[in-house]
Each structure stands twice: as structure tokens, then as C-alpha cells.
Amino acid sequence: MSHRLSKTAAPTRSDAVYFGLRRAIIEQALLPGDKLTEDVIGERFGVSRTIVRSVLARLNAEGLVDLQPNKGAAIAQPSLAEAYDIFEARMCLERQVLARLAEKVTDQDLQLLEQHVGLEAKAGHQDSAASIRLAGEFHILLAELSGNKVLARYVDEVVSRCSLILAMYSRPHSADCSINEHHQIIDALRTRDAARAINAMDHHLQAVTERALLSSNSDKQRDIRSILDRYAS
Amino acid sequence: MSHRLSKTAAPTRSDAVYFGLRRAIIEQALLPGDKLTEDVIGERFGVSRTIVRSVLARLNAEGLVDLQPNKGAAIAQPSLAEAYDIFEARMCLERQVLARLAEKVTDQDLQLLEQHVGLEAKAGHQDSAASIRLAGEFHILLAELSGNKVLARYVDEVVSRCSLILAMYSRPHSADCSINEHHQIIDALRTRDAARAINAMDHHLQAVTERALLSSNSDKQRDIRSILDRYAS
DNA sequence: GTATACATTATTGGATACAATACTTTTCCG
DNA sequence: CGGAAAAGTATTGTATCCAATAATGTATAC
């Protein structure tokens, strides 16, 4: 999926914490506003604060956590204005991805995409957490297949941040509609029809955006210890 | 200009090192391939390795430095393939910026842009370092005026990385042509003509891209100590 | 003279310790 | 009681220390 490690670099312990936290955020196990105390995370993942700090800085750079000096880290709470900015950037980036893919997509690529949507269908209603994650990863996979590493990284980022936005402003995720729309995008790519693919993507993202209706989350302090344990494997 | 600190957050010592190094890279005082030893940087900036490490990680995330485990950091040396990816993403992002700006640009914005090109003209041929930096900052300013923080951050990143690309593959920077082309973009925005602005930008970036002809830099180890001193203020 | 094995040095990775700051609770006075 | 000041606690910021790894230099065998 995303963030595959390069061939030479062995996965470091820092990566384990990074991917663990990231997944917890994207699957909405950790919610916007949750406080991320360095000691707590370090303890759960079995590493020192040094590692945790670097991971938090990394997540902060990606916009997933908010980092205030002397106050610590918390899962980011994107405002509606930020949400709009993110959606605009995402639209712009994903269009470019599709334009590029329509030119160079291979049968193998298409097969991979189909396979991924298969996974989404499988997760379906049962595993809500995986369902949310897979829906995002479909877009990340598209970006990676485009072959442009820079676009891929940016798409990865905006898609992740969209998880946050949905967690803040949207009702529970429904898997079915995404799958349908993802199929339409694949179909358009199969015929190398960039315009149709982009159109399908526009409608898809529009649908996602519209699902975002203001609904403030309770902001009482949650204990994230038990949650972290599930992601520290 | 870019990376303005939020109102509440005081500039930390980490920021000082970050902006110092960043400027040294963008002004091409530090060149692609230069080794960045933690001790050396820490000594010059008067901070411990802890700070330096976090800064190097940040610059790595932005693609300005290469960071290999157990081997240390060096100014990134983007390959031609990466250069192409960066230019493609940059084109895509800056088009969106102009599309947005053409709708909402104010007279005050235009004045600010004119003023900036004035600075570029002033730096002119005399201060080559500042000239390079200012040419990039024009684009960053455009992105900031668009009002979309996400786009602004991404533009900032790709523009910075373009400095690296030019350092690797291009002949010395000529200020004049940039200024001329920047004026054309402002003119198009003044008439709210998005299409013409985008066209001007396309030609501008095309010109920059074409100036990038392969020319390997000598890769003997340089002593960066004296260079760092100039940026540690 | 070249190449390989070994010793030495330089540099990074990470944990810990201490200082600085923010947060919480208690105490004291009106 | 209510609120301000103060003491205590929790958490972050940074320097330093030690271990692990890579880079370098040296000697020895062929």
C-alpha cells in the first residue's frame, strides 16, 4: 500500500510506531482532539520518548497531529476552512493522477485495482475500521500507479487528512457507495478515457464532501491506552 | 514569506536552525551531495544534536535532504526522474493557485506582487543568492495569496526542491527572464484572466525546465563549516 | 604492489537525566 | 463560599551519555 519502505532500508522501530499511530488515526480509533502524551505512547509501544517525539513531529508535518510548543501533541481537528482547502487540493491532485494514469495504465494495474475493490467489498459492513482505511487506500493506490512519487505522497497526505475530516464532521461511513464509485473510475481507466475518469472522481469526491455535516465531537479527555495496545503489534 | 509562524507560537531554537539550513540550501550555498554532520551543524548553530536531528528529519520530509539510516544526512540529489515528477506536480499545483487567484485577487494583492518583483529587480545581478531565493518566493507568495494553506505548503515544497534541481542540472541563474515572466503573470491576474495567467505560468515553468541540462557537479567532500556560519545568525 | 583482515576513529541511534513549562490541587484570605 | 496565590504534579524541551554501526587507516600475507 502506501509508504512502502524502500528495498534497502530495513523497517526501523520508529516506523513501527509511526505506522501504528497512523493506522489508529485513519481507522478512527483515535479521534480528533485526543491528547497524545509521549510517555503513554512510548510505554505502549515499548520505545523511549526520543522515538515517539520524532514520530509525532512526522505526523505533525503531515497534518495529522497538532503540535503546540510546551503543550504537547493531539490528533488534529481540522476546521471547516481547512477541510475546504484539503478537498480543493485533493481534487486538483487526483485529477492529475487520473490524467496521467489514463495514458499509461496497464492491464496489470487494472487488475490490482479490481483486486483492491474486492478487499473493500470483503471488509464491507463487518469491519468498519478496515473499511474506512481501504476506501482511502484505493485513492493512494491510484496515485502510486501513476508513477509520480511526489503526487503519490501528496495524495497520501490529503487522503489521510480527509479521514480526520470525516471523523469530525460526517456520519458513519457507508462502504457500499464508495465501492460502486471506485468501480466506475476503474471502468473509465480501462477505456483510457481520462475525461470520464476525472468526471467519476469529481462526483465521488463531491459525494464524500457533501456527507460532511457539522457535528461536534465530545471533547472530554479519553483514555487512549487500551486503544494504543491494539495498534502496537 | 513562507512558513510564517503562527501568531501564538514563539519562534523556537529549532526553527532558527531549520530556517538557516533551509535558506543555505535554497540560496545554493550548500550544494546537492554535501554531507550534513550533526555535530558540525550543532556546533555552528550552538545547539545540541537533539535539535539538529529533528531539523534534519523535517528537511528530509520536505525532500531537501537525504537521510540514510546509520549513514547520516546529505543535501538531496534529485534524479532526473524525480525532477520530472516535481515539475509535473508543480505545474498542477500552480495552475490551481492561479485559477483561484484570478477569481479573488485584490488590488492590494497585486500591489504586493509588484512590490516583490521590485525586490527581485533590485537584487538583480549583484546578489545572486538573494536573486535565486526571491525568484522562488514569488511563486510561494502567489500560493499564499490564493488563501489555500494546503496548496501553499505544497507549492513551497516543490519550489524549494526546484532550487535543488536547478543547482544540479542548470547553468547559473539569470534574473532578468524570470522578472519579465513574473510581470506577465501579474498582468494576466490584473485582468482576472485565469487562462492567460496559467498560460504565462506554463511558459515560465517550461523555460525553467528547459534550462535544466544535465551537468554533474563535482562530488568531492566540501567543508561546510564556514558556509554554515553565514546562516547561523 | 595489491588485497584482505584487523584495529582505530568518526558518526549515528536511542535512552536517560535534568531543566523549564504547563496543569492541578490545595490553602489562605476576603 | 469564592477567588487568588501557592505548592505540588505532570509533561514537555534539551543536553548528555552509551551502544551500535559505518568509515577510515594500518599492517600483514601473498
Side-chain angles (χ1 to χ4, degrees):
Chain A
M1 312 305 149
S2 74
H3 288 279
R4 204 190 326 268
L5 298 164
S6 78
K7 213 176 303 179
T8 52
T12 164
R13 275 190 306 161
S14 185
D15 288 326
V17 180
Y18 170 75
F19 289 116
L21 271 185
R22 194 169 191 279
R23 204 157 65 84
I25 297 172
I26 287 169
E27 294 189 353
Q28 307 189 357
L30 297 178
L31 292 177
D34 280 350
K35 182 81 198 297
L36 299 172
T37 307
E38 297 175 357
D39 270 336
V40 173
I41 298 171
E43 173 198 333
R44 297 287 140 170
F45 282 87
V47 298
S48 83
R49 278 180 53 215
T50 308
I51 306 251
V52 176
R53 275 178 79 68
S54 77
V55 168
L56 291 177
R58 193 167 161 191
L59 290 168
N60 172 65
E62 293 173 15
L64 290 183
V65 322
D66 224 36
L67 207 51
Q68 274 183 311
N70 287 320
K71 297 264 205 102
I75 309 287
Q77 300 179 291
S79 68
L80 279 178
E82 286 174 273
Y84 186 86
D85 286 354
I86 291 166
F87 273 121
E88 180 185 9
R90 175 170 178 175
M91 196 86 98
C92 159
L93 292 165
E94 295 221 45
R95 276 179 180 163
Q96 182 67 28
V97 163
L98 289 183
R100 209 148 168 229
L101 258 185
E103 285 178 8
K104 68 180 283 289
V105 71
T106 68
D107 287 350
Q108 198 190 349
D109 292 342
L110 290 167
Q111 203 177 330
L112 220 68
L113 287 166
E114 291 283 13
Q115 189 182 326
H116 187 94
V117 179
L119 286 179
E120 292 183 55
K122 198 164 179 179
H125 302 284
Q126 295 151 26
D127 189 347
S128 162
S131 170
I132 294 171
R133 179 169 48 81
L134 287 167
E137 282 179 357
F138 175 78
H139 295 262
I140 296 169
L141 180 56
L142 277 174
E144 283 178 355
L145 292 178
S146 83
N148 186 324
K149 296 252 180 60
V150 179
L151 284 178
R153 195 169 77 68
Y154 291 158
V155 167
D156 195 337
E157 235 179 80
V158 291
V159 168
S160 307
R161 296 177 78 177
C162 277
S163 294
L164 240 46
I165 294 169
L166 292 181
M168 286 197 71
Y169 302 115
S170 138
R171 298 297 82 235
H173 177 76
S174 159
D176 297 331
C177 53
S178 289
I179 293 175
N180 217 356
E181 289 157 359
H182 288 178
H183 266 128
Q184 284 179 28
I185 292 169
I186 296 177
D187 285 344
L189 283 178
R190 186 172 287 114
T191 60
R192 271 74 174 165
D193 187 342
R196 192 154 72 88
I198 290 172
N199 205 278
M201 177 70 78
D202 281 1
H203 279 89
H204 177 39
L205 293 183
Q206 207 60 43
V208 172
T209 310
E210 272 162 15
R211 236 178 284 141
L213 304 171
L214 184 56
S215 79
S216 70
N217 249 314
S218 82
D219 52 8
K220 72 159 182 243
Q221 211 68 293
R222 301 195 313 149
D223 183 17
I224 65 172
R225 266 167 260 257
S226 60
I227 298 167
L228 286 177
D229 283 339
R230 293 210 309 277
Y231 289 89
S233 60
Chain B
M1 307 305 154
S2 72
H3 288 278
R4 203 192 323 272
L5 298 165
S6 78
K7 213 176 303 178
T8 53
T12 164
R13 272 190 309 159
S14 184
D15 287 327
V17 180
Y18 170 74
F19 288 115
L21 272 185
R22 193 170 191 278
R23 205 157 65 84
I25 296 172
I26 286 168
E27 293 188 354
Q28 305 189 358
L30 297 178
L31 292 178
D34 280 350
K35 182 79 200 294
L36 300 172
T37 307
E38 297 174 356
D39 269 334
V40 173
I41 299 172
E43 174 198 331
R44 296 287 139 170
F45 283 87
V47 297
S48 82
R49 279 180 52 216
T50 309
I51 307 248
V52 176
R53 277 176 75 68
S54 78
V55 168
L56 290 177
R58 192 166 161 192
L59 290 168
N60 172 66
E62 292 173 15
L64 289 183
V65 323
D66 224 35
L67 206 51
Q68 273 182 313
N70 287 319
K71 297 262 206 107
I75 310 287
Q77 300 179 289
S79 67
L80 280 178
E82 286 174 274
Y84 185 86
D85 286 354
I86 291 167
F87 273 121
E88 181 185 7
R90 176 170 177 175
M91 196 87 96
C92 159
L93 291 165
E94 294 221 44
R95 277 179 180 163
Q96 182 68 29
V97 163
L98 289 183
R100 213 153 160 224
L101 257 184
E103 286 178 6
K104 67 180 283 284
V105 71
T106 68
D107 287 350
Q108 198 189 351
D109 292 343
L110 290 167
Q111 203 177 329
L112 220 68
L113 287 166
E114 292 282 12
Q115 189 181 325
H116 186 94
V117 179
L119 287 179
E120 291 183 57
K122 198 165 181 179
H125 302 284
Q126 295 151 26
D127 189 347
S128 162
S131 170
I132 294 172
R133 181 171 47 80
L134 287 167
E137 282 179 358
F138 174 78
H139 295 261
I140 295 170
L141 180 55
L142 278 173
E144 284 178 356
L145 292 179
S146 83
N148 186 325
K149 295 252 180 61
V150 179
L151 284 178
R153 194 169 77 69
Y154 290 158
V155 167
D156 194 337
E157 234 179 80
V158 292
V159 168
S160 306
R161 295 177 79 178
C162 277
S163 294
L164 239 47
I165 294 169
L166 292 181
M168 285 197 72
Y169 301 116
S170 139
R171 296 298 82 234
H173 178 75
S174 160
D176 296 331
C177 54
S178 289
I179 292 174
N180 215 356
E181 290 158 357
H182 288 178
H183 265 127
Q184 285 179 28
I185 292 170
I186 296 177
D187 285 344
L189 283 178
R190 186 172 288 112
T191 61
R192 272 74 175 165
D193 187 341
R196 191 154 72 89
I198 290 173
N199 206 278
M201 176 70 78
D202 280 1
H203 280 90
H204 177 40
L205 294 182
Q206 206 60 44
V208 173
T209 309
E210 271 162 17
R211 235 179 284 140
L213 304 172
L214 184 56
S215 81
S216 71
N217 250 315
S218 82
D219 51 9
K220 71 158 181 244
Q221 211 68 292
R222 303 195 312 149
D223 183 17
I224 64 171
R225 263 167 264 257
S226 60
I227 298 167
L228 286 177
D229 283 339
R230 293 210 311 276
Y231 289 90
S233 57

